[in-house]
Amino acid sequence: GFTGSEIGLIGSVGLLAAMIITPMWGMLADRTRRYKSLLGLVMILACISGFIWDMQLVFLNVLLAATCLTVFRSGINPLADSLSVSYCSQKQYDFGKIRGIGSLGYVVGSFVIANVAGWFGIEGPYISVMCVTLLIAAAILLFYPHIPMNESREKSSILKNGKILLKNKSYMFIVVLMLFTNLAMDSAGGYVGNHLVNALGANDGAIGTYTLIAAFPEVFFIMIIGNIISRYGFKPMYVAAIACQCIRLIGYAFVDSIPLFYMFTIVHMLMTGVGAVANMNYINKVVDTSMLTTAVSLYTGIYLVGQALYTQLFGVVYQLYGSHMIFLVTALMSFIGLVMVVRTKHFNFAKE
């Protein structure tokens, strides 16, 4: 029974809090060196916040509980990614296979939630499912091996680490590249469903088909991108992925055939693999281990800030020029990213 402005406030306050807090989780982990314990803690706190949120009816209580849930959830991915990247790096395992299983979970979870929605409607037990899943993940974490990520006797300084990362040109390169490529595409992707239905005249089922074509191949590609990079190097992989994204977006802007639109969607897996696996492995190579979790969390926080800005920007572009222009603007941004990659020397790795 909330108004539109109240619903918008719930989402915006949570997002704003996540922007500020997300980098803090990484800094806190590097400061305390309790990586595994902190990850388990945020999982449990997110679970508790979810249960509390699900029981609230008063707006202020819903706002507070939803904000707490968003804040605690914001720490899960960067902490889990940094632990996984460090473990795989030390044991010479392929991080892509772990990340691919995560993508598979996303695809399966989306399918399950869609069916739950069909069975129960908007009153379905969505929050309960999420909370139970978090509890299971927290229990599994108890058996996760110890990862010696920061064994130096000198404790990390939150402010010092932040300043060092902002001065690390290789690290800032991948952050800026992410803003022009992964984030731009993710933000433009929010208008794909609208474009299919309103611009191409597709039915609502086309959105599900698009999601399947985009998400299913990425599960397998993410599992092998590490091997591709090991064989050909980072730079060729980035050039190929970004170039394909440019072609995909130009195709989106000009084709009026739904099957052709789906064909351009197949290359979605390339840029997703770069964002999910290659960027994390790159950060691991250019950042000192003692600051890895801070680096991943700061990267995620900047992503959230950019997401908020792009949402406003693309909303204005859509209002004035429609979804075709959104894809063209994103293609131009991706092309700038392609030029950055072609001209850069930051793939000649050395920790800064």
Side-chain angles (χ1 to χ4, degrees):
F2 296 146
T3 65
S5 60
E6 288 175 331
I7 295 173
L9 185 61
I10 291 173
S12 60
V13 170
L15 180 60
L16 179 62
M19 291 177 192
I20 299 171
I21 298 298
T22 298
M24 300 300 176
W25 289 121
M27 293 177 183
L28 181 61
D30 284 333
R31 174 68 177 173
T32 62
R33 306 175 188 165
R34 306 294 296 272
Y35 302 97
K36 179 177 167 181
S37 299
L38 190 59
L39 176 57
L41 178 63
V42 295
M43 285 181 177
I44 293 172
L45 291 176
C47 177
I48 294 173
S49 299
F51 277 121
I52 294 174
W53 178 41
D54 199 32
M55 295 185 291
Q56 302 309 308
L57 297 175
V58 179
F59 170 72
L60 182 58
N61 294 342
V62 172
L63 176 63
L64 291 173
T67 301
C68 288
L69 174 60
T70 303
V71 165
F72 294 132
R73 282 181 58 199
S74 71
I76 295 176
N77 281 350
L79 289 170
D81 279 346
S82 63
L83 273 172
S84 300
V85 169
S86 293
Y87 180 76
C88 291
S89 177
Q90 293 174 28
K91 300 295 182 179
Q92 300 299 307
Y93 294 153
D94 187 356
F95 170 65
K97 291 183 172 58
I98 294 177
R99 195 62 182 80
I101 295 298
S103 294
L104 178 62
Y106 173 81
V107 173
V108 173
S110 299
F111 177 79
V112 170
I113 289 297
N115 281 276
V116 170
W119 298 332
F120 297 98
I122 61 173
E123 300 298 329
Y126 310 112
I127 302 300
S128 299
V129 170
M130 180 197 73
C131 292
V132 170
T133 304
L134 284 172
L135 284 177
I136 294 173
I140 294 173
L141 187 64
L142 294 174
F143 303 96
Y144 196 82
H146 171 69
I147 309 299
M149 294 175 60
N150 182 3
E151 298 295 331
S152 63
R153 294 184 178 182
E154 181 182 354
K155 285 195 173 183
S156 301
S157 167
I158 291 177
L159 293 177
K160 181 181 178 181
N161 281 3
K163 291 179 180 178
I164 291 174
L165 286 172
L166 293 177
K167 293 179 180 179
N168 184 326
K169 294 180 180 179
S170 294
Y171 172 74
M172 292 308 300
F173 167 80
I174 207 66
V175 170
V176 173
L177 183 64
M178 172 269 292
L179 295 175
F180 279 94
T181 55
N182 302 102
L183 178 56
M185 185 65 239
D186 290 348
S187 300
Y191 292 87
V192 166
N194 181 288
H195 184 81
L196 279 168
V197 174
N198 295 326
L200 301 184
N203 56 38
D204 290 340
I207 300 174
T209 303
Y210 164 81
T211 303
L212 182 64
I213 294 172
F216 194 68
E218 81 177 41
V219 173
F220 301 98
F221 182 73
I222 285 175
M223 291 184 178
I224 65 172
I225 187 175
N227 293 331
I228 296 175
I229 292 174
S230 296
R231 183 171 183 177
Y232 298 104
F234 276 82
K235 192 167 187 174
M237 183 69 253
Y238 276 80
V239 169
I242 300 173
C244 287
Q245 177 163 294
C246 292
I247 296 171
R248 171 192 181 187
L249 288 161
I250 293 172
Y252 277 8
F254 291 109
V255 302
D256 55 8
S257 165
I258 295 174
L260 280 177
F261 192 93
Y262 289 154
M263 287 181 61
F264 282 113
T265 300
I266 294 174
V267 299
H268 169 83
M269 62 182 180
L270 298 178
M271 206 62 227
T272 301
V274 166
V277 178
N279 285 1
M280 293 298 105
N281 285 336
Y282 175 95
I283 291 173
N284 183 53
K285 286 181 176 293
V286 301
V287 172
D288 189 85
T289 306
S290 64
M291 295 182 288
L292 178 60
T293 310
T294 300
V296 174
S297 298
L298 182 60
Y299 173 95
T300 304
I302 293 173
Y303 181 98
L304 292 173
V305 173
Q307 187 178 49
L309 295 175
Y310 282 14
T311 298
Q312 297 299 317
L313 171 64
F314 286 167
V316 173
V317 172
Y318 179 78
Q319 189 72 26
L320 295 176
Y321 305 105
S323 52
H324 295 85
M325 184 57 69
I326 287 178
F327 298 137
L328 287 176
V329 169
T330 310
L332 176 60
M333 296 178 70
S334 299
F335 180 75
I336 294 172
L338 180 60
V339 172
M340 289 173 58
V341 171
V342 170
R343 293 175 60 87
T344 189
K345 296 182 180 179
H346 285 295
F347 291 107
N348 301 325
F349 294 112
K351 291 186 184 291
E352 297 185 14

